[in-house]
Amino acid sequence: MKKYISFIVLLLLGFSTNSCDEAEKLLDVPFNFTVTEEIPVHINQAAGSQDFMNTVILSIDNNDTHDYLNKIKEVTIKSLSYKLINHSGDNDCTASADLSIDNMKISSFSGNIKSVVDAGTVYKVDNVDDLNKIAQKLKTGHKVTAKFSGNALSQNSATDFKVQITMSVKMVANPL
């Protein structure tokens, strides 16, 4: 009889430990949101090509997530893309540039700025390793720096445009 009671007690302890883990998972708070930021780029009129660079911060700290930032269990980048928008200036301006996140090159661009803006071309970042590295940086630091840098030729007039970055994020936090 003693062995039978001991077995039941051990069985109940096993179920209660498993139940605590399951109960904690029930308290997980999922967040799905989109981070959209724009990097302004200005290129002076010049006879030769010139370098340019500008940055923007991509952050997962917003009104919904702020109270949970120290309790993050998981961050996943569901998608990351960018496009050039709001062109003004030299219609013949061409550029070659890289998009980097925290100094990690994730994409390259080369072409006529006005043509790309008019076409509405969207550049997708599909490298899973890069997306996972960015997600890990967001999980620990809550923000990353996006940089668009390269060189351009704008002979007829100065050129301005923006690089619009869109990042779809899934975050799971637990208040315990």
Side-chain angles (χ1 to χ4, degrees):
M1 182 75 165
K2 243 181 171 178
K3 288 182 182 181
Y4 182 68
I5 292 174
S6 296
F7 177 73
I8 291 175
V9 168
L10 287 174
L11 191 61
L12 288 174
L13 282 174
F15 281 131
S16 67
T17 303
N18 192 27
S19 296
C20 288
D21 292 341
E22 294 300 318
E24 184 177 328
K25 285 182 184 178
L26 289 174
L27 294 175
D28 284 354
V29 180
F31 297 94
N32 290 292
F33 56 95
T34 301
V35 176
T36 303
E37 294 291 344
E38 296 175 353
I39 303 174
V41 178
H42 174 80
I43 300 161
N44 291 318
Q45 178 182 4
S49 99
Q50 56 193 299
D51 293 337
F52 65 87
M53 187 273 303
N54 210 350
T55 62
V56 70
I57 300 294
L58 304 175
S59 175
I60 60 172
D61 185 356
N62 61 46
N63 290 338
D64 295 329
T65 64
H66 183 77
D67 293 339
Y68 294 93
L69 291 178
N70 293 327
K71 298 167 179 16
I72 297 174
K73 290 177 66 176
E74 170 189 328
V75 174
T76 305
I77 309 277
K78 297 191 304 186
S79 67
L80 177 62
S81 64
Y82 69 98
K83 64 181 180 176
L84 308 185
I85 60 171
N86 298 345
H87 169 268
S88 65
D90 188 351
N91 290 342
D92 297 323
C93 178
T94 58
S96 293
D98 294 325
L99 178 64
S100 301
I101 304 267
D102 277 2
N103 296 317
M104 177 178 60
K105 183 173 113 176
I106 61 169
S107 183
S108 294
F109 164 83
S110 184
N112 176 282
I113 303 298
K114 180 174 179 8
S115 296
V116 170
V117 169
D118 288 350
T121 305
V122 176
Y123 300 91
K124 295 182 179 185
V125 177
D126 294 325
N127 185 309
V128 175
D129 289 337
D130 289 347
L131 296 175
N132 289 339
K133 288 175 186 173
I134 295 166
Q136 184 60 38
K137 289 176 182 243
L138 288 168
K139 180 180 176 186
T140 57
H142 312 139
K143 63 184 177 180
V144 292
T145 301
K147 175 173 72 173
F148 193 71
S149 61
N151 62 61
L153 178 61
S154 189
Q155 293 179 318
N156 301 321
S157 64
T159 300
D160 291 287
F161 62 96
K162 293 179 181 177
V163 180
Q164 182 181 64
I165 301 170
T166 304
M167 182 171 61
S168 178
V169 179
K170 176 184 176 188
M171 183 178 109
V172 177
N174 192 297
L176 294 180

